[in-house]
Amino acid sequence: MSHAAGLQMMNTMATASMTVGPSYSEADDAGRRKEMAKEQALEESIQKLRMNLTRYARANDRRMVLRSLKDVRQLSSLPLDPVPDYDGSLEELEHELQTEYVTINGIAFRPAAQLRTTRNNTALTTLRSLCDKLCEHAGWKQQPEDIYKAIVLRIAKTTASADPYFQLNSFLGSAELLLQPIEASAAQKPSVDIAAKTDSSVDSSSKEIVPIEVNVYASDGNIHVTIAAVYWFGLFRKSDVKPGKPWISIEGHVKERTNLTNESAVRSLCVKLPALY
């Protein structure tokens, strides 16, 4: 190839690169604009909700507060951050889970205090054994203790309920209202899905005990976990002199799917509220 031909080819390639390049930039810009529009719409929705909540809370109009909350479709599926690392000890989280009802791969476990013996039939004992077997199946990439700790971190209320609370508080917290975690026994009934959908796995109106549902399995050399849990929150009016029961009780249904091998995760929060009547 002659020197002139080489220069011509280089110029042609440069021209082609310049022609193709902007299309990627335009696609990126379009994606960014779309995300910015979604964020702006969400922010506007939150601001409108806060204004309505403040007005109706001052008027002690509980029904209109519920109506306002049900109009916010984002509350039917709020994305959550992955559960963060915990500065405390694993034993603290294990002790907390000993008081919970848990199902592991479809097998139900009562709190340890309700069992005659906790030697071999607690949820955590079963979870450890399951992690051992799955890691043996997955091979050298997985350490049973690491998998066990990762699951405990994701199902203990102290660690798992933090982000749902902060996400809800960003919507509901105001000068007139205070959001606080509550026990299930303090929640009002019946509750309905804010998206007007029925979840057959959870009967919110019965106030029966809702266990933490854990499913752990291996696939293609990776270990996965799915988790479903319910956390209760109370919305209190700050103007109430003696706040006792929550003015409005809220159920936060959290679902998570995590690949424990590469730590990719999807978590979401679905809000359920008391019925209007």
Side-chain angles (χ1 to χ4, degrees):
M1 180 182 293
S2 67
H3 180 67
L7 287 176
Q8 183 177 0
M9 179 177 290
M10 292 175 63
N11 289 335
T12 301
M13 294 173 62
T15 302
S17 299
M18 292 174 63
T19 303
V20 174
S23 65
Y24 291 102
S25 177
E26 290 171 3
D28 292 341
D29 288 343
R32 283 194 291 268
R33 285 195 298 270
K34 187 176 180 180
E35 287 300 318
M36 290 175 62
K38 288 174 60 177
E39 292 175 3
Q40 183 177 354
L42 177 59
E43 185 61 30
E44 291 175 355
S45 179
I46 293 174
Q47 291 300 328
K48 181 180 178 181
L49 174 64
R50 285 176 176 168
M51 290 175 60
N52 288 338
L53 293 182
T54 297
R55 179 173 57 183
Y56 297 135
R58 286 174 179 169
N60 197 19
D61 194 336
R62 180 177 177 275
R63 184 166 170 269
M64 287 306 297
V65 167
L66 287 172
R67 279 189 176 275
S68 298
L69 291 174
K70 292 176 188 294
D71 287 340
V72 183
R73 303 294 293 182
Q74 290 92 339
L75 291 178
S76 65
S77 183
L78 272 175
L80 298 175
D81 291 332
V83 177
D85 291 333
Y86 181 55
D87 293 334
S89 67
L90 178 66
E91 288 74 17
E92 292 173 347
L93 300 181
E94 289 176 321
H95 179 73
E96 179 180 300
L97 285 168
Q98 294 285 0
T99 66
E100 300 284 355
Y101 287 82
V102 182
T103 66
I104 299 178
N105 288 18
I107 301 174
F109 296 89
R110 293 178 176 272
Q114 297 185 16
L115 302 175
R116 293 183 179 180
T117 174
T118 61
R119 188 171 184 179
N120 294 313
N121 57 352
T122 67
L124 294 180
T125 302
T126 301
L127 181 60
R128 276 190 180 277
S129 176
L130 181 58
C131 290
D132 287 340
K133 289 181 172 57
L134 287 175
C135 288
E136 182 179 345
H137 172 76
W140 62 269
K141 291 190 295 183
Q142 309 297 138
Q143 294 297 322
E145 187 65 14
D146 293 339
I147 297 299
Y148 171 78
K149 289 180 179 178
I151 296 174
V152 169
L153 186 73
R154 286 165 170 78
I155 62 177
K157 185 183 295 184
T158 294
T159 46
S161 66
D163 195 45
Y165 168 78
F166 288 126
Q167 291 289 345
L168 276 179
N169 195 51
S170 69
F171 277 84
L172 309 180
S174 68
E176 299 292 330
L177 294 170
L178 177 68
L179 184 73
Q180 290 185 332
I182 60 173
E183 295 298 323
S185 57
Q188 299 145 344
K189 63 176 185 178
S191 296
V192 294
D193 194 322
I194 199 165
K197 297 177 182 177
T198 301
D199 186 347
S200 59
S201 65
V202 179
D203 182 2
S204 303
S205 63
S206 67
K207 292 194 74 171
E208 295 177 351
I209 295 169
V210 181
I212 302 169
E213 298 179 7
V214 183
N215 286 284
V216 193
Y217 61 96
S219 176
D220 297 328
N222 296 334
I223 296 180
H224 305 259
V225 64
T226 64
I227 299 167
V230 181
Y231 304 107
W232 284 264
F233 304 94
L235 196 59
F236 298 85
R237 289 202 318 150
K238 293 181 181 179
S239 58
D240 290 339
V241 179
K242 293 182 179 180
K245 290 186 178 180
W247 192 42
I248 295 173
S249 59
I250 297 171
E251 289 183 20
H253 291 248
V254 175
K255 292 188 177 181
E256 174 176 352
R257 299 193 314 272
T258 297
N259 182 327
L260 295 170
T261 302
N262 60 26
E263 298 184 350
S264 61
V266 176
R267 292 183 83 216
S268 63
L269 169 67
C270 175
V271 171
K272 296 189 179 184
L273 299 165
L276 287 173
Y277 302 98

